[in-house]
């Protein structure tokens, strides 16, 4: 009769629970601002580096290098956070603010590596990408049937960031602002510094952290879920004990009554053998069962985890490569300015918005594996269009064809990235939420930094090779996906 329970009871049941709305909005907004900070320099970063004596490959390194520092920051930060989120959120705000200022000051100082230094400091803020994902799959505050929906909202914020970022960067470059301090190169840094300062104030006032664990459960996000499991197990044991006692009383009554009606010879032994209650099985200690569940991860679960990590890496490799490559390809093929490249990237992102919002709604009814399959198919279509453009030669390439290819790539791989963590969070034990968040985030980082460098060098190595590697990565993921199709089934929502 679960289907007719009122909403409140379903929420109490845990599968539909959500965190405080103001804190959830702050987390999703943080994801959007981080994406904007990451991509606002895409339009003008190569020109900025070139002005200060750098190369196109160096500009790709500037775009991708923050993820290296972010990956180095994660392990000590996770050990420090104690399962909470506020400390990491404050660290994100301050490092994004300082990094943006350093990036903007490189022009005045005429020092190329100050750009890189600013992006390295920003890298510590990008460690927050782990926390926004973990927050939206944390079993203490998010029910199982809400996780893919919240992951969809994160991808909406992600799409907004990589759409607004390049557009604003290209617009600021076009306006120019002829000043040694605030100009087309430095203005993205100053604008983001002001935004992060204001957002930091909002975080300090409105964000409400999750309750901290006690000393025994510190750093273990599954502590609450274990308590709930113990209570449920205790209730089941109590029910079983009550039923067993009732059964024994019934058998005793039957035996007492039977003494007034002596059975035929030999029947007494048969009846006693038939009606004697079986010895109850010893109840398994719940803590032991829980620990065994945590430790005994099946080969199927490890295989699904490896597949999701591969797709997390592939999605961000392809997206990072395209976002770094489009400004360089446009400049060399069409003579396009950073403003044109920024508009192209932004327009592709804007066109994906209706589909991203539709995914948020459909996630409540569609399994994660179908969303992943649809995203991979759309991404494959975009890569094939790109291969066609590269194979036809530069003379047949047009901005329209490039836009069509970018639209399908952006839509497909953003859609596929929605489910990498949410699917695992539904299949793995609650105690593993922190670990699988790290697995997915490191996979994202690996794809983002290597994709950005590969995209910066894409024109130099050849566009066919540049796209061919992306197709190979997607093909390997497709084989893993098809092999594990049945094992990737999970609850909707």
């Amino acid at each position: 009769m679960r289907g007719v329970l009122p909403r409140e009871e379903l929420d109490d049941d845990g599968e539909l629970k959500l965190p405080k709305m103001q804190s959830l909005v702050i987390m999703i907004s943080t994801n959007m601002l981080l994406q904007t900070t990451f991509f606002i320099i895409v339009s003008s970063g190569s020109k900025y580096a070139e002005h200060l004596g750098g190369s196109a490959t160096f500009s790709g390194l500037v775009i991708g290098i923050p993820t290296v520092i972010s990956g180095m920051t994660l392990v000590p930060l996770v050990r420090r956070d104690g399962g909470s989120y506020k400390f990491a959120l404050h660290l994100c705000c301050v490092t994004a603010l300082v990094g943006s200022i350093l990036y903007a000051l490189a022009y005045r100082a005429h020092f190329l590596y100050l750009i890189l230094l600013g992006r390295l400091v920003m890298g510590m803020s990008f460690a927050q990408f782990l926390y926004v994902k973990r927050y939206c799959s944390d079993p203490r505050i998010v029910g199982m049937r809400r996780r893919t929906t919240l992951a969809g909202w994160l991808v909406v914020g992600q799409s907004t960031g990589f759409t607004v970022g390049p557009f604003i960067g290209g617009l600021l470059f076009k306006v120019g602002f002829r000043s040694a301090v605030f100009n087309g190169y430095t203005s993205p840094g100053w604008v983001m510094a002001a935004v992060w300062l204001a957002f930091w104030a909002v975080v300090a006032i409105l964000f409400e952290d999750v309750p901290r664990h006690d000393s025994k459960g510190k750093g273990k996000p599954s502590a609450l879920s274990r308590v709930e499991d113990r209570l449920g197990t205790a209730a089941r044991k109590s029910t079983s004990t009550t039923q067993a006692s009732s059964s024994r009383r019934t058998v005793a009554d039957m035996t007492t009554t039977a003494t007034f009606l002596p059975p035929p010879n030999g029947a007494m032994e048969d009846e006693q053998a038939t009606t004697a209650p079986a010895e109850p099985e010893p109840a398994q200690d719940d803590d032991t069962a829980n620990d065994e569940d945590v430790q005994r991860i099946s080969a199927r679960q490890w295989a699904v985890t490896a597949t999701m990590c591969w797709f997390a890496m592939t999605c961000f490799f392809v997206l990072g490569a395209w976002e770094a490559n489009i400004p360089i390809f446009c400049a060399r093929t069409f003579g396009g300015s950073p403003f044109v490249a920024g508009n192209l990237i932004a327009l592709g992102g804007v066109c994906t918005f209706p589909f991203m919002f539709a995914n948020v709604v459909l996630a409540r009814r569609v399994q994660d594996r179908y969303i992943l399959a649809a995203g991979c198919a759309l991404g494959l279509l975009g890569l094939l269009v790109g291969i066609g453009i590269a194979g036809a030669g530069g003379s047949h390439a047009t901005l329209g064809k490039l836009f069509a290819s970018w639209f399908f790539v952006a839509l497909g791989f953003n859609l596929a990235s929605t489910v990498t963590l949410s699917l695992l969070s539904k299949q793995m034990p609650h105690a593993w939420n922190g670990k699988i968040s790290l697995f997915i985030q490191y996979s994202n980082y690996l794809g983002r930094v290597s994709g950005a460098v590969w995209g910066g060098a894409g024109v130099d190595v050849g566009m066919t090779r540049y796209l061919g590697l992306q197709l190979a990565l997607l093909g390997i993921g497709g084989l893993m996906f098809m092999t594990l199709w049945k094992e990737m089934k999970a609850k909707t929502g």
Side-chain angles (χ1 to χ4, degrees):
M1 296 297 292
R2 181 181 179 85
V4 298
L5 289 175
R7 180 182 178 84
E8 292 77 7
E9 292 188 28
L10 287 175
D11 289 339
D12 291 340
D13 188 54
E15 290 195 345
L16 298 177
K17 63 183 174 182
L18 285 172
K20 292 290 182 65
M21 185 56 64
Q22 63 191 35
S23 299
L24 179 59
V25 170
I26 285 175
M27 275 296 186
I28 294 176
S29 300
T30 302
N31 186 56
M32 181 187 69
L33 289 178
L34 286 171
Q35 297 288 347
T36 303
T37 303
F38 193 93
F39 292 114
I40 195 171
I41 72 160
V42 166
S43 302
S44 58
S46 59
K47 290 287 186 181
Y48 195 5
E50 183 181 341
H51 176 80
L52 296 177
S55 63
T57 302
F58 181 84
S59 70
L61 183 63
V62 167
I63 295 172
I65 199 63
T67 56
V68 176
I69 299 301
S70 181
M72 295 170 63
T73 305
L74 276 182
V75 173
L77 187 57
V78 168
R79 290 178 178 175
R80 162 68 177 77
D81 64 40
S84 62
Y85 296 90
K86 182 169 284 188
F87 176 79
L89 191 52
H90 283 291
L91 179 66
C92 166
C93 293
V94 69
T95 52
L97 172 63
V98 174
S100 298
I101 293 173
L102 291 175
Y103 179 86
L105 289 175
Y107 185 91
R108 180 68 175 177
H110 200 76
F111 183 47
L112 173 65
Y113 291 97
L114 193 55
I115 298 176
L116 191 61
L117 179 60
R119 295 290 284 178
L120 290 174
V121 174
M122 286 183 207
M124 289 188 283
S125 71
F126 296 144
Q128 185 66 17
F129 281 131
L130 166 73
Y131 287 90
V132 296
K133 291 181 176 67
R134 195 177 82 181
Y135 189 86
C136 291
S137 62
D138 193 330
R140 295 173 294 173
I141 52 178
V142 181
M144 186 176 293
R145 292 187 180 273
R146 294 295 196 187
R147 295 174 194 171
T148 304
T149 302
L150 293 188
W153 279 114
L154 286 181
V155 173
V156 170
Q158 174 180 305
S159 300
T160 302
F162 86 69
T163 298
V164 172
F167 174 76
I168 292 178
L171 181 62
L172 291 172
F173 181 85
K174 183 177 179 62
V175 174
F177 304 106
R178 297 182 180 181
S179 167
V181 177
F182 195 90
N183 53 53
Y185 297 131
T186 65
S187 50
W190 293 121
V191 167
M192 291 312 303
V195 170
W196 279 109
L197 183 61
F199 185 72
W200 193 7
V202 173
V203 168
I205 296 171
L206 296 180
F207 184 76
E208 182 177 335
D209 208 345
V210 297
R212 278 186 172 274
H213 306 299
D214 57 23
S215 58
K216 292 182 180 180
K218 186 175 181 180
K220 297 180 181 180
S222 63
L224 183 59
S225 63
R226 288 191 175 190
V227 172
E228 293 172 349
D229 290 343
R230 290 169 189 166
L231 291 175
T233 303
R236 288 192 297 271
K237 289 178 180 178
S238 177
T239 302
S240 300
T241 304
T242 303
Q243 291 175 348
S245 300
S246 176
S247 177
R248 285 193 293 269
R249 286 195 300 267
T250 302
V251 171
D253 292 343
M254 292 172 60
T255 305
T256 302
T257 304
T259 59
F260 295 98
L261 299 173
N265 291 337
M268 176 65 75
E269 290 78 0
D270 294 340
E271 182 177 348
Q272 289 176 344
T274 303
T275 59
E279 289 294 327
E281 295 183 1
Q284 185 179 9
D285 182 74
D286 191 60
D287 291 339
T288 304
N290 235 332
D291 292 338
E292 289 179 356
D293 288 342
V294 172
Q295 295 172 1
R296 294 179 181 177
I297 303 301
S298 66
R300 175 190 64 82
Q301 289 174 307
W302 281 120
V304 173
T305 300
T307 302
M308 291 300 99
C309 289
W310 183 268
F311 275 108
M313 182 275 295
T314 300
C315 289
F316 280 89
F317 180 90
V318 176
L319 291 172
W322 277 72
E323 287 150 355
N325 179 262
I326 285 177
I328 301 171
F329 182 78
C330 283
R332 296 194 184 182
T333 306
F334 310 113
S337 67
F339 179 67
V340 173
N343 282 343
L344 180 65
I345 295 173
L347 183 60
V350 168
C351 291
T352 66
F353 277 179
F355 301 95
M356 293 294 104
F357 284 115
N359 177 57
V360 171
V361 176
L362 293 176
R364 301 174 185 178
R365 302 176 179 85
V366 180
Q367 290 183 26
D368 291 3
R369 56 179 178 171
Y370 291 110
I371 296 175
L372 180 62
C376 290
L378 291 168
L380 175 61
L381 178 59
L383 292 177
L384 293 177
V385 173
I387 285 284
I389 296 173
S395 59
H396 293 84
T398 64
L399 282 174
K401 293 178 180 178
L402 181 61
F403 168 75
S405 181
W406 164 237
F407 165 73
F408 285 112
V409 166
L411 174 60
F413 289 103
N414 271 302
L415 189 63
S417 69
T418 304
V419 302
T420 50
L421 179 57
S422 63
L423 188 148
L424 285 182
S425 71
K426 297 172 184 178
Q427 291 195 350
M428 300 288 278
H430 286 174
W432 277 75
N433 188 59
K435 295 184 179 66
I436 61 176
S437 298
L438 277 173
F439 295 162
I440 294 297
Q441 193 58 50
Y442 274 117
S443 301
N444 289 346
Y445 285 160
L446 176 61
R448 192 181 286 276
V449 67
S450 56
V453 175
W454 183 246
V459 176
D460 294 331
V461 302
M463 292 299 291
T464 302
R465 293 177 181 176
Y466 158 78
L467 292 166
L469 178 59
Q470 298 172 48
L471 283 170
L473 294 176
L474 183 59
I476 294 171
L479 289 175
M480 299 169 72
F481 178 77
M482 289 185 290
T483 303
L484 297 170
W485 173 257
K486 292 182 179 179
E487 284 73 20
M488 293 173 66
K489 185 176 181 180
K491 289 186 176 182
T492 61

